[in-house]
Amino acid sequence: QVQLVESGGGLVQPGGSLRLSCVASGFTTDYYAIAWFRQAPGKEREGLSCIITRDHTAYYADSVKGRFTISSDTAKKTVYLQMNNLKSEDTAVYYCATQTISGPLCYQIRSGYFGSWGQGTQVTVSS
């Protein structure tokens, strides 16, 4: 059974940085995709970035391209999301999840294509 656990959220001032971690367990293959999503109050869950862990190929939504960087440490079974130049509109609960539909990995970062959601970690950007 796949389990994902996020950590690293917190309170940060505008312009600051945070690094989120997603520790994975239960995978029986090294070929899978992990994506980061976020959900702000009253808004739909938004796909941000996705990485194929075997070859570290990364994909980004336009909303975070250039500010967020996804990476993976295969040995630690951990996927990171480095977030720089944070803005108030980045305030949300951040989740990681793994792709559960068949087909090309990270083809679309849509919540319906992913599962085994972690519990989420709160990121608050405020002065």
Side-chain angles (χ1 to χ4, degrees), residues 51-67:
I51 190 166
I52 300 172
T53 55
R54 177 181 285 179
D55 60 13
H56 307 283
T57 303
Y59 302 85
Y60 298 93
D62 289 342
S63 60
V64 300
K65 198 174 294 184
R67 294 193 301 125

Side-chain angles (χ1 to χ4, degrees), residues 15-95:
S17 298
L18 279 176
R19 188 178 77 159
L20 306 183
S21 299
C22 173
V23 179
S25 62
F27 284 100
T28 58
T29 175
D30 66 346
Y31 186 63
Y32 55 90
I34 296 287
W36 284 97
F37 295 79
R38 67 185 177 191
Q39 189 164 20
K43 295 188 176 181
E44 292 187 355
R45 193 163 293 189
E46 177 189 10
L48 305 175
S49 184
C50 186
I51 190 166
I52 300 172
T53 55
R54 177 181 285 179
D55 60 13
H56 307 283
T57 303
Y59 302 85
Y60 298 93
D62 289 342
S63 60
V64 300
K65 198 174 294 184
R67 294 193 301 125
F68 291 10
T69 303
I70 193 170
S71 62
S72 68
D73 184 327
T74 305
K76 294 183 178 180
K77 297 183 180 179
T78 302
V79 172
Y80 303 98
L81 186 68
Q82 177 68 42
M83 306 186 296
N84 297 328
N85 191 22
L86 284 162
K87 307 173 183 180
S88 58
E89 51 263 44
D90 295 317
T91 294
V93 179
Y94 285 69
Y95 301 89

